[in-house]
Amino acid sequence: MQDEKTVAQILAAEDIADYPQDLRQLSAEELRRLFAFTSSGKLNATRVIKNLIWQAYTAICDGRRAPIAGNLRSFWYTDIVRRESGM
């Protein structure tokens, strides 16, 4: 019989966590502190994006935010690019 992983195990394996603060509101330095590669200190963009998507998903499921109108590309432009451009 195959081992079925729990959601917690999958999230841990993917390096996804529940952060109390809205990751979209963090400064570049705060993001580096949480998501930098230990070897180089450079930002691990893959970890940031995974955690942003998870944070949005849990907020939608909890009713703390409206569902995203569109697809992943819509999410990218409304949540990621908008934050970076200061809109």
Side-chain angles (χ1 to χ4, degrees):
M1 183 179 278
Q2 282 187 315
D3 240 359
E4 297 243 355
K5 291 184 177 180
T6 66
V7 171
Q9 289 171 322
I10 294 168
L11 292 174
E14 292 294 328
D15 213 1
I16 297 172
D18 286 314
Y19 291 93
Q21 66 274 48
D22 185 346
L23 297 177
R24 297 172 302 165
Q25 302 301 318
L26 299 182
S27 68
E29 185 54 42
E30 291 169 313
L31 288 171
R32 258 190 237 89
R33 187 173 34 81
L34 291 171
F35 299 107
F37 289 105
T38 53
S39 58
S40 66
K42 292 184 178 184
L43 188 67
N44 182 338
T46 301
R47 282 186 58 217
V48 174
I49 299 300
K50 286 180 183 182
N51 280 279
L52 284 166
I53 292 169
W54 177 250
Q55 195 169 70
Y57 171 77
T58 57
I60 292 166
C61 289
D62 294 346
R64 292 180 283 124
R65 77 174 275 172
I68 296 160
N71 56 21
L72 189 56
R73 185 176 182 173
S74 301
F75 172 76
W76 178 259
Y77 284 108
T78 58
D79 283 43
I80 311 303
V81 174
R82 173 174 264 173
R83 184 229 182 250
E84 290 302 316
S85 66
M87 294 173 85

